[in-house]
Amino acid sequence: MKMVHFYQRIELDNGKEKFVLKTTHRQPFTAQIEVTMNFSNDDTPSTTEFTIHGLLKEHSDLFKKGNQIDYYAGFFNADFSEHLIRHVVHGTITTIQPRKNDSGDWQLSFTMQDGEKYDKLKPIKVKTSKKIRQVASQKSLESKISAYNSKTNKAFNYWRDTHPHASDKEVKQKRAQATKKKKQARTQLSSSWNKQRKYLVNHKKYQVKTAYKALSFKPGTKGSTIIKKIAKLAGIKIQTVKLVYDRKYLKGYTAKKKTTSLY
């Protein structure tokens, strides 16, 4: 069976109503549709350019920026009893040119963005929770000792500045007293700090902490399963997933990259 009649169909959806334009090069479907598909290997969607010839003005006015377009193409056999038609592309009209007349041929040209724009999607993160021990609200022992030593040194320096006629013996005795105070304070501060530390250790407090980690899959997961799961969580619409080789990830897979780079 030979497929000899080329068939095209554009389905326009403006959110309120649908308009279907068919062409089989026989009455009454004689409008001509020119299609140029500009494929892209980047994360950004490709674009498709359309030019429709012989379209009535009332139908041309239905095509507006933001409308959804579905384009189908295929073939019929000689007597139109059999056909092979496929859905080629879906997208949104981004730019549209005013209807123009070229030697009696009314033309409407527009460009659409294929699919949806997902380039700003971030990697999928999974919410997890775990108990974390709260950090004890206790200053370090060295900071306490340092603060006391600084206070004692300041007091000694003040005494020395206010007693300019003190003998070397008196200054030496005053310094020795300050040193003795610092040693005693170190012992006392160490004892009290250790007691407080022991109390805090015996009265541990925990809080539930929420963390987010990259989505992971167990060993042996198929690539098609990974794609479907990530696409669903990211809100990416995929009609069908058909891979030339649906490999298994024997060591598992962790989706750390952007969603549009998932395979």
Side-chain angles (χ1 to χ4, degrees), residues 189-203:
L189 289 172
S190 296
S191 177
S192 63
W193 188 90
N194 287 327
K195 287 181 180 179
Q196 185 184 22
R197 187 64 178 173
K198 184 177 180 180
Y199 174 84
L200 291 173
V201 169
N202 293 332
H203 295 78

Side-chain angles (χ1 to χ4, degrees), residues 52-76:
I52 305 175
H53 301 265
L55 193 62
L56 297 176
K57 184 179 186 304
E58 61 182 286
H59 294 155
S60 296
D61 292 342
L62 297 174
F63 289 79
K64 299 182 184 300
K65 184 177 179 179
N67 289 170
Q68 298 293 302
I69 293 289
D70 283 284
Y71 173 66
Y72 299 80
F75 289 89
F76 277 87

Side-chain angles (χ1 to χ4, degrees), residues 92-109:
T92 304
I93 296 178
T94 54
T95 60
I96 188 165
Q97 303 297 324
R99 181 170 176 260
K100 66 178 182 179
N101 190 318
D102 184 8
S103 300
D105 175 25
W106 285 100
Q107 302 176 11
L108 177 70
S109 299

